[in-house]
Amino acid sequence: MKMKLLMAITLCVLLSACKKVQVANVSATEDDIEFVAKHSTLGAPVDADATTETRALFHNLHRLATQGIMFGHEADNANGYGWQYTPGRSDVKEVVGEYPAVFGWDMGQYEIGYTWNVEGTNFVKMRQYIKDVYDQGGVNTISWHMHNPMDSTQSAKGTMDSVIYKIFADTVALNHYKAWLGGVATYVKTLVGSDGKTIPIIFRPFHEHTGTWFWWGKDRCTPDEFKNIWRFTIDYFRSQGVHNLLYAYSPDRITSQSDYLERYPGDDYVDILGLDCYDTINFHPGNTFITTANPMISIVTTLARQKSKLSAITETGLSQVPVTNWWTQFLSPITKDKNLSYVLLWRNFQTQFWTPYVGQASASDFVTFHADETNFFQHRIASEYLYKTSLLNIDFETSNTLADYQNASGPNYRQFNAIVTDAGATIAIDSARLKFTGSGAATSNSYIIRSNYIAPVDAKLMMFSFNISNHGPITPSTNPVIRVQFGTGFTINNLIETASLTHSEFGIHFPSDGHMTFVDENAAVTGTGNYTGEKNVRLIVNNSGAAKNYIAPDGTTESIANDTWDLWVGTVKEFNDRTATNAAKALNNFKMNIKNIGGQYIDLDDFNIKEL
């Protein structure tokens, strides 16, 4: 799920169209941004003119899929069990304390002039709900239960056969269909966030086509007819200036890879490979849902990996959730460690529900499901800034060859300048992580460095994160074994950079087997936490010239003073507003220096840098 990019492209990803700037002797233009998207081994949105925010969402979803899965719920903030349109309400939020990461919506009935969709949600209100989700950092996906274009009195489940054939066989019918597409195109272009940006949407047309219940289903059209209407629809949206959509392909249950691909419209028309896969009470108490779902999901994720696409469970659930441990014992086994971007549960409304409400039988198990840090809800997703492009993004998924992640003179945003060991220590890619094994020679240093063009030279609010776990046995360390530095003018060598070149820095040491503590290197102050297991470490650095706010990993909005830094370990704020080592230095360079102490090994993963 990784990629290769152009040197210094990372400097320009957030620039406006056609704007050119000179940064550290490198000019960056929108053409560079397009090169990044088109030549990434992560793939790119199929719309070559996709907005910067849509491209960022695509790549961030790729990145996060290796770490966990986003939890989604249809119309979560619009409807719930026994309620509708109550500001701030959410059945999910009332059970676990936060919103889902993904919200589903539907355009059905907009095409026939109704003011509410097939789910009973007013389209004006839906626009506001979508904006609210975007503003809070979440993701929106839209399906379309479209009425029959040949007979608008028939719903998506109308009984007419050969609808697609008839649309393209009659100019009047085709123009009628175009008018429907034009109306939806106009609607999605009016989805704008508080930042003035057009909101990226995961758009999921013609879903469950392997079933027989929709007019686009497998018994109602040929494979070629289905492909034709899919391609025509996406091409028409593009012709209408719609460039904020990622397109999801989502059949219902499948029997094989060839079954999944039978009506696949082609790699140029699909961003996300999905699957609608519902549980039913008929699977219980036999408990065959897992054995039924996992082979289908494996087909989807395998194809997504081959095609450099995203993958997702685009609809699932067990109606009324009568199985009290369904979340941890049935949903988790089909979603965990699959590299899926998200899973979407269907909606709650009046007397029907697919996620628990307070007091429902499965609510306590849902709380346990939520506590799993690999299941992402609003707080984690908001802190990831999905609509901002990473300036550095390395997660060791693409290759097991260390050389692929380094380039001394011109690294792309998926590479360091150097990853170097000495004195017998080793660094290698192992299980999609960078594994450092110490030699026991405490005076020797290994290092990882990005010494050019991480960020523009002007002041910024930057976020740097990585995952780390320590594995003993080790010689206990009273001094930082790892030293992380940000600044300007760093040298490709194993020396710790001087204070004159370093804006901010922190250290990590290992007081006992498997444990980690964190250090403010400038003030020689050790934090209070003693951590075990794999932890996400997140440094927020502000040299913008003024106090700033940012979304923290625990979902809170945090303030950070100018020329200071905060350090988070998981959802714990280990350091707050620590004074910069040298406020005059910009945040262009990064170095991680590792002492070869003790013989332990350290796993490092998911290096990510972005401007907030």
Side-chain angles (χ1 to χ4, degrees):
M1 301 177 71
K2 294 348 177 201
M3 67 154 269
K4 297 196 169 167
L5 293 161
L6 174 68
M7 158 181 156
I9 283 332
T10 61
L11 306 179
C12 67
V13 290
L14 300 178
L15 298 176
S16 60
C18 301
K19 182 178 180 181
K20 178 176 265 191
V21 293
Q22 188 74 24
V23 179
N25 299 316
V26 176
S27 294
T29 69
E30 190 181 47
D31 290 340
D32 298 325
I33 300 173
E34 293 181 0
F35 183 94
V36 169
K38 291 177 180 178
H39 297 275
S40 163
T41 58
L42 284 175
V46 294
D47 183 354
D49 296 316
T51 66
T52 300
E53 292 72 30
T54 305
R55 293 171 188 261
L57 176 62
F58 180 86
H59 288 116
N60 280 314
L61 294 185
H62 265 293
R63 177 175 62 84
L64 285 176
T66 66
Q67 303 176 39
I69 185 169
M70 297 189 299
F71 180 83
H73 187 210
E74 185 81 5
D76 181 82
N77 53 352
N79 302 290
Y81 181 61
W83 62 268
Q84 185 179 42
Y85 301 156
T86 304
R89 284 205 73 176
S90 155
D91 287 347
V92 168
K93 182 180 178 183
E94 289 173 5
V95 174
V96 299
E98 58 177 320
Y99 288 111
V102 179
F103 292 67
W105 309 100
D106 197 89
M107 288 303 301
Q109 298 190 155
Y110 190 83
E111 69 278 0
I112 59 172
Y114 281 29
T115 58
W116 63 91
N117 69 10
V118 293
E119 299 173 347
T121 303
N122 177 276
F123 285 112
V124 174
K125 291 181 180 293
M126 191 173 93
R127 181 185 288 111
Q128 182 60 48
Y129 289 133
I130 289 172
K131 177 179 179 292
D132 292 343
V133 170
Y134 173 78
D135 287 347
Q136 69 192 28
V139 177
N140 291 284
T141 177
I142 294 178
S143 56
W144 189 1
H145 286 84
M146 188 194 311
H147 274 232
N148 180 349
M150 297 304 301
D151 180 358
S152 60
T153 67
Q154 292 191 10
S155 72
K157 293 185 177 182
T159 58
M160 183 183 294
D161 284 328
S162 304
V163 173
I164 297 175
Y165 171 81
K166 293 171 182 176
I167 290 172
F168 289 102
D170 184 335
T171 301
V172 174
L174 184 59
N175 287 337
H176 178 63
Y177 180 62
K178 286 181 181 179
W180 282 12
L181 295 181
V184 172
T186 297
Y187 185 89
V188 298
K189 287 190 293 184
T190 65
L191 301 175
V192 177
S194 294
D195 59 3
K197 306 288 188 180
T198 306
I199 298 171
I201 301 292
I202 296 172
F203 186 68
R204 195 166 61 93
F206 309 118
H207 65 297
E208 299 178 3
H209 62 269
T210 52
T212 60
W213 41 90
F214 296 134
W215 57 259
W216 55 83
K218 66 177 182 180
D219 289 349
R220 307 289 183 85
C221 62
T222 67
D224 284 343
E225 287 168 353
F226 182 84
K227 294 174 187 178
N228 189 26
I229 197 167
W230 182 290
R231 294 167 183 162
F232 182 89
T233 298
I234 277 63
D235 285 340
Y236 193 82
F237 281 154
R238 292 171 181 166
S239 75
Q240 298 302 298
V242 174
H243 301 299
N244 58 318
L245 300 183
L246 298 176
Y247 296 98
Y249 174 82
S250 58
D252 194 62
R253 296 186 181 191
I254 53 170
T255 58
S256 64
Q257 186 176 106
S258 59
D259 188 27
Y260 188 86
L261 293 175
E262 182 187 32
R263 293 163 188 256
Y264 182 66
D267 290 346
D268 291 341
Y269 289 89
V270 175
D271 295 297
I272 299 172
L273 301 186
L275 181 73
D276 287 12
C277 179
Y278 280 91
D279 194 0
T280 72
I281 200 62
N282 294 331
F283 285 122
H284 304 274
N287 300 340
T288 55
F289 176 58
I290 296 170
T291 57
T292 300
N294 269 337
M296 295 188 289
I297 294 167
S298 178
I299 289 170
V300 175
T301 56
T302 298
L303 285 169
R305 184 167 57 252
Q306 293 171 354
K307 295 175 175 293
S308 295
K309 304 292 185 183
L310 300 166
S311 61
I313 301 176
T314 41
E315 284 185 37
T316 192
L318 175 62
S319 178
Q320 311 294 91
V321 207
V323 179
T324 57
N325 63 352
W326 190 80
W327 304 99
T328 60
Q329 300 306 307
F330 295 94
L331 183 60
S332 280
I334 72 167
T335 60
K336 199 171 182 64
D337 299 325
K338 299 290 203 309
N339 282 8
L340 293 159
S341 288
Y342 68 91
V343 55
L344 181 77
L345 278 291
W346 202 240
R347 71 190 181 105
N348 293 6
F349 60 100
Q350 302 309 323
T351 60
Q352 177 66 277
F353 58 91
W354 298 85
T355 67
Y357 52 87
V358 173
Q360 196 270 332
S362 72
S364 61
D365 189 60
F366 190 56
V367 171
T368 303
F369 173 84
H370 168 264
D372 185 333
E373 291 184 354
T374 64
N375 294 326
F376 301 154
F377 287 71
Q378 178 201 355
H379 292 168
R380 171 63 186 272
I381 292 306
S383 72
E384 292 290 345
Y385 290 89
L386 297 181
Y387 303 101
K388 291 186 179 291
T389 306
S390 295
L391 305 174
L392 179 75
N393 178 18
I394 304 175
D395 55 15
F396 309 106
E397 292 279 342
T398 306
S399 169
N400 290 324
T401 303
L402 198 64
D404 291 339
Y405 299 100
Q406 52 188 318
N407 185 319
S409 59
N412 61 47
Y413 97 128
R414 305 283 293 169
Q415 295 174 319
F416 297 110
N417 289 86
I419 306 170
V420 179
T421 57
D422 63 4
T426 62
I427 290 183
I429 310 299
D430 185 357
S431 300
R433 290 175 171 82
L434 186 66
K435 182 177 181 179
F436 168 84
T437 304
S439 66
T443 57
S444 298
N445 294 324
S446 299
Y447 65 98
I448 302 168
I449 185 169
R450 178 62 183 256
S451 63
N452 59 332
Y453 313 137
I454 282 182
V457 295
D458 54 331
K460 297 292 174 188
L461 177 67
M462 303 293 292
M463 177 178 76
F464 168 70
S465 67
F466 63 95
N467 290 349
I468 182 171
S469 56
N470 171 41
H471 307 267
I474 68 167
T475 301
S477 163
T478 56
N479 295 307
V481 172
I482 294 180
R483 189 155 175 164
V484 178
Q485 298 177 295
F486 270 87
T488 299
F490 289 1
T491 304
I492 302 179
N493 59 35
N494 67 350
L495 301 178
I496 293 172
E497 298 295 338
T498 65
S500 64
L501 299 177
T502 304
H503 183 280
S504 296
E505 56 189 325
F506 69 92
I508 308 172
H509 71 85
F510 309 125
S512 60
D513 289 359
H515 289 249
M516 298 177 288
T517 55
F518 293 80
V519 181
D520 175 352
E521 287 291 325
N522 187 45
V525 173
T526 300
T528 59
N530 191 354
Y531 300 92
T532 60
E534 185 174 52
K535 294 297 179 184
N536 177 256
V537 179
R538 185 171 303 195
L539 177 73
I540 308 294
V541 186
N542 181 14
N543 69 339
S544 67
K548 294 286 186 180
N549 292 332
Y550 66 91
I551 305 297
D554 64 355
T556 58
T557 299
E558 296 290 322
S559 176
I560 182 170
N562 183 49
D563 287 322
T564 67
W565 54 272
D566 291 350
L567 186 72
W568 293 81
V569 182
T571 57
V572 177
K573 195 177 191 181
E574 188 69 14
F575 287 109
N576 179 60
D577 278 1
R578 304 303 295 183
T579 303
T581 301
N582 184 347
K585 305 311 292 184
L587 304 172
N588 287 322
N589 303 162
F590 154 75
K591 180 182 274 190
M592 176 180 281
N593 191 283
I594 310 172
K595 288 185 178 179
N596 300 338
I597 192 169
Q600 84 283 12
Y601 74 88
I602 301 164
D603 280 336
L604 298 163
D605 195 14
D606 295 316
F607 288 87
N608 189 252
I609 299 176
K610 62 177 59 177
E611 176 193 359
L612 305 185

